[in-house]
């Protein structure tokens, strides 16, 4: 059985959560990132874009509706969200053909 890809997070900023033992968390604009690669899912270079890597934070944790590590996330990259998956109230439904041609 094929296993889905696991995406980590790359962000434009970071902050430290004092309540959870000084854990580094993403802030600002976030992108999906595959560990082991030097670019985000949408094609931005991590070093040239000056994005910080958060390999310990999984992609579903930064969706604002999840509440996990999304406290200071200001923007989720829509291109990365379309590839990595976005679950929430503003997620677009899957495309369905209503009346196929005969």
């Amino acid at each position: 059985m094929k296993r889905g890809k696991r995406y980590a997070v790359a962000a434009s900023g970071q902050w430290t959560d004092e309540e959870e033992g000084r854990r580094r968390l993403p802030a600002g604009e976030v992108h999906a990132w595959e560990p082991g690669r030097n670019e985000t899912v949408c094609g931005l270079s991590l070093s040239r874009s000056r994005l910080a890597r958060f390999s310990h934070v999984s992609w579903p944790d930064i969706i604002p509706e999840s509440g996990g590590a999304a406290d200071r996330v200001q923007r989720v990259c829509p291109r990365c969200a379309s590839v990595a998956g976005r679950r929430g109230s503003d997620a677009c439904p899957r495309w369905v053909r209503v009346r196929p041609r005969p």
Side-chain angles (χ1 to χ4, degrees):
M1 177 178 222
K2 186 176 180 182
R3 188 174 162 192
K5 291 185 179 181
R6 294 192 176 265
Y7 296 102
V9 175
S12 62
Q14 67 181 2
W15 66 286
T16 305
D17 188 8
E18 300 293 333
E19 294 176 1
E20 291 190 27
R22 300 190 48 83
R23 188 173 146 193
R24 241 177 22 105
L25 294 173
E29 183 174 353
V30 295
H31 296 269
W33 164 65
E34 288 183 71
R37 304 217 35 182
N38 195 25
E39 65 181 4
T40 62
V41 174
C42 65
L44 291 176
S45 172
L46 293 174
S47 59
R48 288 186 180 184
S49 301
R50 295 186 179 164
L51 296 174
R53 298 171 179 100
F54 297 90
S55 58
H56 60 280
V57 179
S58 64
W59 177 254
D61 288 342
I62 59 95
I63 304 297
E65 293 81 23
S66 72
D71 291 341
R72 301 211 181 149
V73 170
Q74 295 173 352
R75 182 176 182 270
V76 176
C77 174
R79 292 167 63 189
C80 290
S82 69
V83 173
R86 177 163 183 125
R87 305 288 181 248
S89 59
D90 64 337
C92 295
R94 291 205 174 265
W95 184 83
V96 178
R97 184 180 298 244
V98 177
R99 293 185 184 151
R101 292 170 49 184

